[in-house]
Amino acid sequence: MKKRNFTFRYGLYIYLSIVAFFALMKVFNLEDISELRLVNFVFVIYFVNKLIVRNFIEDDKVGYLYNLRTAFGASATAVFLSCASMLVYTTFISPEFPQVLEGSFLFGKDLTGMRVVLVLFLEGMASSAIVAFSLMQYWKNYKREHKNVALD
């Protein structure tokens, strides 16, 4: 039986939820509150967890490394799409947005759209790896304790 790969689909779910959240922040004029930007981490955790449960827990034929790669790939897809969107946003829609970020994060001074995208990419890829690995460790231990199956 062929394994279905949901990497892009869940990456798109993550991306669309983050875009919707940031659009709501823009509508309610809350984009300068840096703490609210951390909520996007919740979307990443939620959808990566759903992907892992779908593949790893419900299907005993899917192995640890395959699912780790799929989980990381989904969040990395969201990071690539988010970086592209941020580049378009800071270039065409709101060129003053990097100045909003100057006072709220450790970006530095004299920010440009490309610097923001670079930092977003590095931060996003690091958090993708951390989330994918952490959730896979949790579910690996859960599966071992509750199903008593051999893991590869």
Side-chain angles (χ1 to χ4, degrees):
M1 184 164 129
K2 182 180 180 281
K3 292 183 219 178
R4 293 190 59 191
N5 191 339
F6 295 100
T7 304
F8 184 76
R9 179 184 298 176
Y10 278 85
L12 196 59
Y13 292 160
I14 294 168
Y15 168 73
L16 291 175
S17 61
I18 289 171
V19 167
F21 178 69
F22 279 95
L24 283 173
M25 284 178 56
K26 180 76 172 166
V27 166
F28 292 114
N29 202 22
L30 299 171
E31 66 266 8
D32 58 338
I33 301 174
S34 61
E35 290 82 10
L36 286 177
R37 289 190 210 117
L38 298 175
V39 174
N40 66 16
F41 200 58
V42 172
F43 300 126
V44 174
I45 292 171
Y46 175 76
F47 284 111
V48 168
N49 188 53
K50 280 188 66 93
L51 176 63
I52 290 171
V53 168
R54 177 181 204 140
N55 284 345
F56 195 55
I57 300 302
E58 294 174 2
D59 184 4
D60 285 333
K61 294 182 177 84
V62 175
Y64 179 86
L65 291 177
Y66 172 82
N67 210 29
L68 179 64
R69 182 189 56 149
T70 303
F72 177 75
S75 28
T77 299
V79 169
F80 284 118
L81 293 172
S82 297
C83 286
S85 295
M86 180 62 81
L87 187 60
V88 169
Y89 184 75
T90 57
T91 303
F92 300 111
I93 298 171
S94 180
E96 69 278 354
F97 187 66
Q99 282 68 40
V100 172
L101 294 175
E102 277 185 12
S104 62
F105 282 116
L106 301 174
F107 284 110
K109 301 291 180 200
D110 301 323
L111 288 179
T112 63
M114 283 304 292
R115 287 183 185 166
V116 171
V117 169
L118 177 64
V119 171
L120 178 66
F121 176 76
L122 294 174
E123 175 190 297
M125 294 306 279
S127 67
S128 295
I130 291 168
V131 167
F133 184 72
S134 299
L135 287 173
M136 280 305 300
Q137 287 301 105
Y138 172 78
W139 286 112
K140 179 184 87 167
N141 292 336
Y142 174 86
K143 192 171 183 179
R144 181 176 290 145
E145 291 171 5
H146 291 84
K147 293 206 176 187
N148 293 325
V149 295
L151 299 173
D152 56 335

Tab-separated table of all heavy atoms in Angstrom, residues 19-51:
chain	number	residue	atom	x	y	z
A	19	VAL	N	-0.959	33.442	8.076
A	19	VAL	CA	-1.361	34.608	7.277
A	19	VAL	C	-2.672	35.190	7.796
A	19	VAL	O	-2.808	36.407	7.940
A	19	VAL	CB	-1.472	34.236	5.778
A	19	VAL	CG1	-2.187	35.313	4.991
A	19	VAL	CG2	-0.091	33.988	5.198
A	20	ALA	N	-3.629	34.327	8.102
A	20	ALA	CA	-4.912	34.807	8.626
A	20	ALA	C	-4.717	35.519	9.967
A	20	ALA	O	-5.319	36.577	10.218
A	20	ALA	CB	-5.887	33.645	8.786
A	21	PHE	N	-3.861	34.958	10.819
A	21	PHE	CA	-3.607	35.573	12.118
A	21	PHE	C	-2.955	36.951	11.956
A	21	PHE	O	-3.359	37.919	12.598
A	21	PHE	CB	-2.728	34.666	12.975
A	21	PHE	CG	-2.377	35.249	14.300
A	21	PHE	CD1	-3.338	35.408	15.281
A	21	PHE	CD2	-1.081	35.671	14.558
A	21	PHE	CE1	-3.019	35.960	16.509
A	21	PHE	CE2	-0.754	36.225	15.778
A	21	PHE	CZ	-1.721	36.367	16.758
A	22	PHE	N	-1.959	37.061	11.085
A	22	PHE	CA	-1.292	38.344	10.884
A	22	PHE	C	-2.210	39.352	10.184
A	22	PHE	O	-2.107	40.553	10.430
A	22	PHE	CB	0.023	38.169	10.129
A	22	PHE	CG	1.140	37.739	11.020
A	22	PHE	CD1	1.475	36.408	11.152
A	22	PHE	CD2	1.844	38.662	11.771
A	22	PHE	CE1	2.487	36.008	11.998
A	22	PHE	CE2	2.864	38.279	12.617
A	22	PHE	CZ	3.186	36.942	12.736
A	23	ALA	N	-3.104	38.865	9.338
A	23	ALA	CA	-4.081	39.765	8.723
A	23	ALA	C	-5.030	40.324	9.789
A	23	ALA	O	-5.359	41.515	9.767
A	23	ALA	CB	-4.864	39.033	7.640
A	24	LEU	N	-5.434	39.482	10.719
A	24	LEU	CA	-6.276	39.962	11.824
A	24	LEU	C	-5.527	40.970	12.690
A	24	LEU	O	-6.104	41.962	13.146
A	24	LEU	CB	-6.756	38.794	12.685
A	24	LEU	CG	-7.890	37.966	12.119
A	24	LEU	CD1	-8.154	36.738	12.989
A	24	LEU	CD2	-9.142	38.811	11.995
A	25	MET	N	-4.237	40.706	12.918
A	25	MET	CA	-3.434	41.669	13.679
A	25	MET	C	-3.378	43.008	12.959
A	25	MET	O	-3.440	44.063	13.600
A	25	MET	CB	-2.014	41.128	13.901
A	25	MET	CG	-1.924	40.062	14.959
A	25	MET	SD	-0.259	39.389	15.173
A	25	MET	CE	0.707	40.819	15.522
A	26	LYS	N	-3.260	42.975	11.643
A	26	LYS	CA	-3.208	44.207	10.854
A	26	LYS	C	-4.551	44.935	10.905
A	26	LYS	O	-4.598	46.154	11.076
A	26	LYS	CB	-2.829	43.872	9.407
A	26	LYS	CG	-2.742	45.051	8.494
A	26	LYS	CD	-1.485	45.825	8.736
A	26	LYS	CE	-1.326	46.893	7.664
A	26	LYS	NZ	-0.319	47.855	8.027
A	27	VAL	N	-5.647	44.182	10.793
A	27	VAL	CA	-6.978	44.784	10.807
A	27	VAL	C	-7.244	45.477	12.138
A	27	VAL	O	-7.786	46.578	12.184
A	27	VAL	CB	-8.064	43.715	10.523
A	27	VAL	CG1	-9.457	44.214	10.859
A	27	VAL	CG2	-7.987	43.281	9.074
A	28	PHE	N	-6.841	44.847	13.236
A	28	PHE	CA	-7.075	45.421	14.556
A	28	PHE	C	-5.927	46.313	15.037
A	28	PHE	O	-5.869	46.678	16.199
A	28	PHE	CB	-7.353	44.311	15.576
A	28	PHE	CG	-8.651	43.607	15.336
A	28	PHE	CD1	-8.668	42.275	14.965
A	28	PHE	CD2	-9.850	44.285	15.455
A	28	PHE	CE1	-9.866	41.627	14.736
A	28	PHE	CE2	-11.052	43.648	15.219
A	28	PHE	CZ	-11.062	42.306	14.861
A	29	ASN	N	-4.985	46.613	14.126
A	29	ASN	CA	-3.864	47.503	14.400
A	29	ASN	C	-3.028	47.033	15.602
A	29	ASN	O	-2.655	47.813	16.473
A	29	ASN	CB	-4.356	48.941	14.614
A	29	ASN	CG	-3.269	49.947	14.381
A	29	ASN	OD1	-2.289	49.661	13.694
A	29	ASN	ND2	-3.426	51.127	14.954
A	30	LEU	N	-2.718	45.742	15.622
A	30	LEU	CA	-1.935	45.148	16.708
A	30	LEU	C	-0.568	44.654	16.234
A	30	LEU	O	0.106	43.934	16.956
A	30	LEU	CB	-2.706	43.961	17.317
A	30	LEU	CG	-4.058	44.276	17.930
A	30	LEU	CD1	-4.782	42.997	18.296
A	30	LEU	CD2	-3.888	45.177	19.134
A	31	GLU	N	-0.149	45.040	15.027
A	31	GLU	CA	1.101	44.498	14.481
A	31	GLU	C	2.344	44.982	15.206
A	31	GLU	O	3.418	44.413	15.042
A	31	GLU	CB	1.224	44.775	12.982
A	31	GLU	CG	1.364	46.223	12.617
A	31	GLU	CD	0.050	46.891	12.282
A	31	GLU	OE1	-1.007	46.291	12.466
A	31	GLU	OE2	0.096	48.049	11.841
A	32	ASP	N	2.224	46.006	16.041
A	32	ASP	CA	3.395	46.480	16.782
A	32	ASP	C	3.578	45.771	18.126
A	32	ASP	O	4.570	46.000	18.810
A	32	ASP	CB	3.315	47.990	16.989
A	32	ASP	CG	2.061	48.414	17.731
A	32	ASP	OD1	1.081	47.648	17.723
A	32	ASP	OD2	2.063	49.515	18.309
A	33	ILE	N	2.677	44.886	18.496
A	33	ILE	CA	2.809	44.126	19.748
A	33	ILE	C	3.563	42.835	19.438
A	33	ILE	O	3.029	41.893	18.860
A	33	ILE	CB	1.430	43.827	20.361
A	33	ILE	CG1	0.698	45.137	20.643
A	33	ILE	CG2	1.576	43.003	21.628
A	33	ILE	CD1	-0.720	44.960	21.115
A	34	SER	N	4.824	42.797	19.839
A	34	SER	CA	5.694	41.686	19.452
A	34	SER	C	5.294	40.364	20.094
A	34	SER	O	5.522	39.309	19.516
A	34	SER	CB	7.143	42.013	19.798
A	34	SER	OG	7.287	42.204	21.190
A	35	GLU	N	4.696	40.395	21.272
A	35	GLU	CA	4.315	39.160	21.935
A	35	GLU	C	3.257	38.393	21.146
A	35	GLU	O	3.222	37.169	21.184
A	35	GLU	CB	3.800	39.443	23.354
A	35	GLU	CG	4.864	39.896	24.320
A	35	GLU	CD	5.191	41.381	24.211
A	35	GLU	OE1	4.459	42.128	23.513
A	35	GLU	OE2	6.192	41.794	24.813
A	36	LEU	N	2.397	39.100	20.437
A	36	LEU	CA	1.369	38.433	19.639
A	36	LEU	C	1.966	37.674	18.458
A	36	LEU	O	1.374	36.719	17.978
A	36	LEU	CB	0.341	39.453	19.138
A	36	LEU	CG	-0.636	39.973	20.169
A	36	LEU	CD1	-1.547	41.020	19.554
A	36	LEU	CD2	-1.455	38.845	20.761
A	37	ARG	N	3.130	38.103	18.013
A	37	ARG	CA	3.763	37.402	16.891
A	37	ARG	C	4.216	36.004	17.275
A	37	ARG	O	4.432	35.162	16.413
A	37	ARG	CB	4.953	38.204	16.375
A	37	ARG	CG	4.530	39.446	15.670
A	37	ARG	CD	5.677	40.109	14.957
A	37	ARG	NE	5.408	41.538	14.940
A	37	ARG	CZ	6.149	42.439	15.530
A	37	ARG	NH1	7.233	42.092	16.161
A	37	ARG	NH2	5.815	43.704	15.479
A	38	LEU	N	4.354	35.747	18.553
A	38	LEU	CA	4.777	34.421	19.003
A	38	LEU	C	3.640	33.396	18.930
A	38	LEU	O	3.884	32.199	19.039
A	38	LEU	CB	5.317	34.505	20.431
A	38	LEU	CG	6.557	35.381	20.604
A	38	LEU	CD1	6.932	35.482	22.070
A	38	LEU	CD2	7.710	34.841	19.787
A	39	VAL	N	2.426	33.865	18.727
A	39	VAL	CA	1.285	32.950	18.633
A	39	VAL	C	1.402	32.062	17.393
A	39	VAL	O	0.870	30.948	17.387
A	39	VAL	CB	-0.044	33.744	18.642
A	39	VAL	CG1	-1.240	32.861	18.405
A	39	VAL	CG2	-0.198	34.479	19.966
A	40	ASN	N	2.122	32.507	16.381
A	40	ASN	CA	2.260	31.670	15.190
A	40	ASN	C	2.941	30.343	15.505
A	40	ASN	O	2.740	29.358	14.809
A	40	ASN	CB	2.970	32.402	14.052
A	40	ASN	CG	4.405	32.731	14.355
A	40	ASN	OD1	5.013	32.194	15.270
A	40	ASN	ND2	4.959	33.630	13.583
A	41	PHE	N	3.703	30.306	16.580
A	41	PHE	CA	4.334	29.067	17.025
A	41	PHE	C	3.272	28.030	17.406
A	41	PHE	O	3.463	26.837	17.192
A	41	PHE	CB	5.239	29.389	18.224
A	41	PHE	CG	6.291	28.377	18.503
A	41	PHE	CD1	7.228	28.033	17.559
A	41	PHE	CD2	6.355	27.763	19.747
A	41	PHE	CE1	8.205	27.102	17.829
A	41	PHE	CE2	7.326	26.837	20.027
A	41	PHE	CZ	8.256	26.492	19.068
A	42	VAL	N	2.152	28.495	17.941
A	42	VAL	CA	1.051	27.601	18.308
A	42	VAL	C	0.487	26.912	17.064
A	42	VAL	O	0.192	25.712	17.091
A	42	VAL	CB	-0.055	28.376	19.058
A	42	VAL	CG1	-1.287	27.531	19.291
A	42	VAL	CG2	0.479	28.928	20.367
A	43	PHE	N	0.358	27.646	15.976
A	43	PHE	CA	-0.150	27.058	14.733
A	43	PHE	C	0.797	25.977	14.216
A	43	PHE	O	0.355	24.925	13.757
A	43	PHE	CB	-0.350	28.120	13.658
A	43	PHE	CG	-1.329	29.191	14.029
A	43	PHE	CD1	-0.972	30.525	13.971
A	43	PHE	CD2	-2.604	28.869	14.456
A	43	PHE	CE1	-1.878	31.509	14.302
A	43	PHE	CE2	-3.513	29.849	14.798
A	43	PHE	CZ	-3.148	31.178	14.727
A	44	VAL	N	2.084	26.239	14.297
A	44	VAL	CA	3.073	25.257	13.842
A	44	VAL	C	2.972	23.993	14.683
A	44	VAL	O	2.908	22.876	14.145
A	44	VAL	CB	4.500	25.847	13.895
A	44	VAL	CG1	5.532	24.790	13.555
A	44	VAL	CG2	4.620	27.042	12.964
A	45	ILE	N	2.942	24.138	15.994
A	45	ILE	CA	2.850	22.975	16.872
A	45	ILE	C	1.562	22.202	16.611
A	45	ILE	O	1.571	20.963	16.526
A	45	ILE	CB	2.946	23.404	18.353
A	45	ILE	CG1	4.344	23.918	18.664
A	45	ILE	CG2	2.586	22.259	19.287
A	45	ILE	CD1	4.478	24.566	20.020
A	46	TYR	N	0.455	22.902	16.473
A	46	TYR	CA	-0.836	22.240	16.286
A	46	TYR	C	-0.853	21.393	15.011
A	46	TYR	O	-1.219	20.208	15.039
A	46	TYR	CB	-1.960	23.285	16.247
A	46	TYR	CG	-3.305	22.685	15.944
A	46	TYR	CD1	-4.004	21.975	16.908
A	46	TYR	CD2	-3.874	22.822	14.680
A	46	TYR	CE1	-5.234	21.416	16.635
A	46	TYR	CE2	-5.109	22.273	14.399
A	46	TYR	CZ	-5.778	21.563	15.379
A	46	TYR	OH	-6.991	21.006	15.094
A	47	PHE	N	-0.468	21.983	13.888
A	47	PHE	CA	-0.578	21.251	12.626
A	47	PHE	C	0.504	20.184	12.475
A	47	PHE	O	0.243	19.125	11.890
A	47	PHE	CB	-0.577	22.216	11.438
A	47	PHE	CG	-1.888	22.908	11.270
A	47	PHE	CD1	-2.003	24.266	11.523
A	47	PHE	CD2	-3.015	22.213	10.882
A	47	PHE	CE1	-3.216	24.913	11.382
A	47	PHE	CE2	-4.240	22.848	10.734
A	47	PHE	CZ	-4.343	24.201	10.989
A	48	VAL	N	1.698	20.413	12.988
A	48	VAL	CA	2.727	19.369	12.942
A	48	VAL	C	2.286	18.196	13.816
A	48	VAL	O	2.457	17.030	13.437
A	48	VAL	CB	4.105	19.918	13.368
A	48	VAL	CG1	5.098	18.804	13.592
A	48	VAL	CG2	4.623	20.877	12.310
A	49	ASN	N	1.698	18.484	14.964
A	49	ASN	CA	1.202	17.418	15.830
A	49	ASN	C	0.103	16.616	15.132
A	49	ASN	O	0.089	15.385	15.195
A	49	ASN	CB	0.686	18.005	17.141
A	49	ASN	CG	0.354	16.941	18.139
A	49	ASN	OD1	1.175	16.081	18.449
A	49	ASN	ND2	-0.861	16.978	18.647
A	50	LYS	N	-0.828	17.301	14.455
A	50	LYS	CA	-1.887	16.597	13.718
A	50	LYS	C	-1.295	15.707	12.627
A	50	LYS	O	-1.764	14.585	12.419
A	50	LYS	CB	-2.861	17.594	13.101
A	50	LYS	CG	-3.867	18.134	14.079
A	50	LYS	CD	-4.918	18.971	13.394
A	50	LYS	CE	-5.772	18.192	12.476
A	50	LYS	NZ	-7.008	17.671	13.008
A	51	LEU	N	-0.270	16.184	11.952
A	51	LEU	CA	0.379	15.392	10.910
A	51	LEU	C	1.044	14.158	11.491
A	51	LEU	O	0.916	13.057	10.959
A	51	LEU	CB	1.403	16.247	10.160
A	51	LEU	CG	2.238	15.545	9.089
A	51	LEU	CD1	1.342	15.022	7.973
A	51	LEU	CD2	3.271	16.493	8.538
